[in-house]
Amino acid sequence: PLAEKHGVTIETSGDVAVSVGSHALLLQMTMNLVHNAIVHNLPERGAVWVTTGVRSRVVVLAVENTGQKLPPQMAATLVEPFQRGTGRTHTDQAGVGLGLAIVKSIAEAHDGTLTLTPRDGGGLRVAVQLPAAPPDTGR
């Protein structure tokens, strides 16, 4: 409903990517990423892409969106509490600028990493890497 309200399409793809950790925290992390990708997007016809994958012993959740162009130095500040891409939190946008700070804390609590990369055409790619769950031994 939020994406529809903002005129944003969401596409998902990828492989099953299993990690070990707090279900509630990992769900909150994912919800924060998707929410941010929706509300910090183009005013019309925006898009969000959510992909998952497994590389060696690491699982990756990547959320990308369309949006304004961001300089690399600004992307690095978005994980700071109360910081937002358009400046400080005193705007008409929903939220207070804690979403990515929370995502970073959850990723780190699960021995993972968070990477923010501006997209060439505008918007942001946010990738969380977490340790993959050990293979099922059948026990």
Side-chain angles (χ1 to χ4, degrees):
L2 182 64
E4 190 174 301
K5 175 183 171 185
H6 285 269
V8 172
T9 59
I10 298 178
E11 295 180 28
T12 61
S13 63
D15 302 313
V16 174
V18 181
S19 187
V20 177
S22 166
H23 179 269
L25 289 175
L26 294 173
L27 179 60
Q28 183 66 54
M29 177 185 76
T30 305
M31 288 175 46
N32 284 7
L33 289 174
V34 174
H35 180 269
N36 279 357
I38 293 169
V39 299
H40 299 287
N41 211 310
L42 296 173
E44 294 180 354
R45 296 190 198 125
V48 172
W49 300 275
V50 180
T51 56
T52 56
V54 180
R55 292 187 211 133
S56 186
R57 292 182 291 226
V58 176
V59 298
V60 179
L61 166 65
V63 179
E64 298 184 55
N65 71 335
T66 51
Q68 65 177 287
K69 285 192 150 227
L70 297 173
Q73 61 272 21
M74 179 180 284
T77 68
L78 296 177
V79 296
E80 296 173 11
F82 307 112
Q83 184 67 33
R84 298 181 49 206
T86 56
R88 300 304 289 179
T89 60
H90 303 292
T91 69
D92 61 351
Q93 290 276 358
V96 295
L98 290 174
L100 289 175
I102 291 169
V103 167
K104 181 180 180 187
S105 294
I106 293 171
E108 290 175 349
H110 289 82
D111 296 323
T113 61
L114 175 67
T115 306
L116 282 67
T117 310
R119 295 179 70 244
D120 288 339
L124 191 65
R125 180 180 194 275
V126 181
V128 176
Q129 293 188 355
L130 301 170
D136 186 10
T137 59
R139 290 186 227 172

